[in-house]
Structure formats: C-alpha cells, structure tokens
Amino acid sequence: MKKNIIISLLLSIVCTLTACTAEEPTTQTSTISPTPTIVTEPTERPISELTVHFVDVGQADAAILQCEDDTMIIDGGNVADSNLIVAYLKKLNVPHIDYMVCTHAHEDHVGGLSAPLSVMPVGAVYAPVKEANSKAYQNFKRNVAEQNTEIMHPTNYERFSLGSANVEILACPDNADNLNNTSIILKVTHKNKSFLFTGDAEREEEQTLLNKGLLKADILKVGHHGSDTSTSYLFLREVMPEYAVISVGKGNSYGHPSEAVLSRLRDADVKVYRTDLQGDIIMKSDGDNITVTTAKNEDIQTNETAVNDEEGIYIGNARSKKFHRPDCRTLPAEKNRVKLSSRSEAVNKGYSPCGNCQP
C-alpha cells in the first residue's frame, strides 16, 4: 500500500514537470554583451586655407583672395593692367569671381576690373555711392550691366562669407568730397588671423573708425600707396599689425611710400612688404599662422628706405639734388657728382630720385 502511494506521487510530479515544459518554451541567452552607445562631441568645420595675392600692378592696387571655392577681387589696378589681371586669374584657374570690390572710383583701383567682367561671370559687385566721370569708371559700370547685375553700395557692418573666412564692411562713406575718403574699408577674418583693406582712405576716414574698436588686424594693406595722408599714428596704434603691404610703383612721381609712413611702421615694429621691391606678394593663412612668399627679394627689409646698400651705387647731383643710378644717361658733370653709399643716404640728405633711371 505504501509502495503504491509513492508511485502515485512520483507520477504526479512527472506530469507536473511535463506540463510546465510544454507551456513555457525554452529561450536561449546570448553570450554577446550589447554594444554601448558612444556619445561624441560635435567636431568643428575644418578651416580651409585663405590665400591673399597682392598683385604687382605698379602705382595702383589689386588683390585677389581665395578660400575654398570662393574668390574675391579687391580693386584691379589701372586700365593698362587689364591683361595682367585676367592672366593672373587664369593662372589661378579661377572660373568665376564671387565678389568684386571697387574700393573707390579712381582709375588706379577700378581700371582693371572691366577685363575680368568681360571674360568671366561675376557674382556680387560692390562700390561706393560716389562715382567718377572717367572713362575707366564708366566702362566698369557698363561691364557690370552687361553681366545682368548691378553695383551694390554696401552698408557699414554688412557681412558675408568667403569660404571659411568672414568679410565685414567697416566703412563705405558716401558724403566725402575727396574720392579717397569714400573708400570701402573691409576686414577679412580667418579664424585667428585678419586682413584689413583700406583702399586710399586718408586720415579723415581713418578717424571715423578709431572709436569703434574693430580695427585690430594682423595684416594691413597700407592706405593710399604709403602716402603721408594715410596711416596716421593713431590709426596704426589701433590696428597694430604684424605685417603691412604697400602697393606702389617703382620710382613713382608721388614719392610713395613716404619716409614718414615708413618711419611710423618702423616705430610700430611692423614688417613691411612692397610690390615695387618684391613684385607679387602672396600671404597664406591656416587660421593661426601666416606664411609669406614674394616674387623677388623675399628677405629684404622693406620698412627701410634703402633698396640696395652696395657701396657707391648711387650718384647725386649737388646742384639739382637728384640722385641717379651709375648707368643713368643723365648723370651730372663730374664736378657736381656726389657719391652716395645707399638710397637711404640719398633720401636722408634731401635728394630725390631721377625721373629717367628711377633709382
């Protein structure tokens, strides 16, 4: 009897276990741990290189800026520089110009802009309100119209992008009698480096910007080809550039750049580059550093008046107070010759350059 009870209990347990197995399907447990979710900080947009070409157009101004696929041209030199500007753009493989800036209506800034307008598409065109009746400016206007666009007059603090660089208009006066003081002044900022372009702005226009706190820049395109009417001490103290570029013609009749401006730049410990001595000047920014290459005389100290300090390289005329190269065809008579050891000595002694040999 006892044995039957035990057998019944065992059968009951087996049935219960069988029923549980049928009701609850078996599951497999994965031995692979779940992949954790990794949260990363957003990365900044890479800074592309900004290249600024200060083109040697003699006694005039022209600069071409490139960043990523964007191109901007600031002034184009004289009409006589038209072919040079187009050739330079073609050398850079520029298919179109995104921004064209005519800083003001004088021919040595607007003259060469008509050429690229006639051979390639141009996006936005900026110029001051005040125009000139010159043939050069009227050709510029006509070529803009033929592109089915119009000249825009920027407002102060207007901004736009040039690739990964930012452009800001700091001034565009419309009420100055002097065309130089209608110059568009603009600043190009590339991460931690900046370029300030001043056209031919003179002291009066510089003064209007002194209290606005926007002038600090690493590179200054010196106003009005280094004329004493621009780059005042106060203005230079606000900008405090590391480098300055003077676009100027060799042996020009204006005496640009003036010794006064060179002295101010020297006092401010600014390294100066000049197109009359070094040809095309190319500056590249990676956002933190500037590298400079020039067509010639890369190591010359151009904030000094001296161009070449070879002994006896210049001959002064004691009567006319002109100084000449030794091979000049208008050298003075022997009795009036003064031996000058350098160009700086000639200038410091009150001599002016000969118009023929252009020392």
Side-chain angles (χ1 to χ4, degrees), residues 254-269:
Y254 304 98
H256 296 161
S258 74
E259 178 55 34
V261 168
L262 293 174
S263 177
R264 289 171 211 153
L265 292 166
R266 196 160 46 237
D267 291 346
D269 198 26

Side-chain angles (χ1 to χ4, degrees), residues 96-334:
H96 66 274
I97 296 171
D98 299 277
Y99 305 100
M100 175 178 282
V101 179
C102 167
T103 59
H104 64 293
H106 279 148
E107 194 220 329
D108 59 325
H109 293 253
V110 71
L113 292 178
S114 291
L117 280 164
S118 65
V119 299
M120 65 180 66
V122 178
V125 180
Y126 293 96
V129 172
K130 200 149 190 178
E131 301 182 359
N133 291 323
S134 66
K135 183 177 179 180
Y137 193 83
Q138 297 307 313
N139 285 342
F140 166 67
K141 284 182 63 179
R142 186 183 69 253
N143 279 280
V144 171
E146 288 176 355
Q147 288 248 7
N148 293 318
T149 187
E150 60 182 20
I151 297 173
M152 295 185 290
H153 309 302
T155 58
N156 291 352
Y157 314 119
E158 182 174 335
R159 298 180 181 182
F160 54 87
S161 296
L162 181 75
S164 55
N166 295 306
V167 182
E168 183 174 17
I169 307 295
L170 300 186
C172 187
D174 60 5
N175 56 356
D177 293 330
N178 181 349
L179 278 178
N180 287 343
N181 284 326
T182 66
S183 290
I184 294 174
I185 295 178
L186 58 86
K187 185 175 181 180
V188 180
T189 302
H190 187 237
K191 194 181 175 183
N192 297 320
K193 295 298 177 182
S194 54
F195 295 72
L196 186 64
F197 294 85
T198 59
D200 276 358
E202 300 185 4
R203 293 179 185 179
E204 294 80 5
E205 187 176 357
E206 292 176 354
Q207 186 66 37
T208 64
L209 292 174
L210 288 178
N211 299 322
K212 298 185 179 180
L214 300 169
L215 294 175
K216 179 69 183 74
D218 300 283
I219 296 92
L220 171 66
K221 200 293 294 180
V222 173
H224 201 189
H225 318 286
S227 166
D228 190 32
T229 60
S230 305
T231 321
S232 66
Y233 270 118
L234 290 176
F235 184 78
L236 190 56
R237 188 176 66 187
E238 288 297 315
V239 180
M240 289 301 292
E242 180 180 358
Y243 302 101
V245 176
I246 303 176
S247 185
V248 63
K250 185 176 180 180
N252 66 86
S253 60
Y254 304 98
H256 296 161
S258 74
E259 178 55 34
V261 168
L262 293 174
S263 177
R264 289 171 211 153
L265 292 166
R266 196 160 46 237
D267 291 346
D269 198 26
V270 181
K271 186 170 184 179
V272 178
Y273 290 88
R274 291 167 47 174
T275 58
D276 62 333
L277 304 181
Q278 292 164 303
D280 300 326
I281 299 161
I282 302 170
M283 294 188 169
K284 294 185 178 182
S285 165
D286 64 6
D288 295 305
N289 303 286
I290 300 291
T291 58
V292 185
T293 57
T294 65
K296 56 186 178 181
N297 301 327
E298 188 164 352
D299 296 326
I300 197 169
Q301 294 297 306
T302 58
N303 54 341
E304 300 291 340
T305 305
V307 177
N308 191 330
D309 283 330
E310 293 179 23
E311 185 177 356
I313 197 168
Y314 296 117
I315 304 297
N317 185 331
R319 294 186 62 185
S320 68
K321 301 301 286 184
K322 297 285 185 183
F323 68 97
H324 309 255
R325 296 183 184 276
D327 59 352
C328 181
R329 60 183 174 81
T330 58
L331 286 177
E334 287 288 346

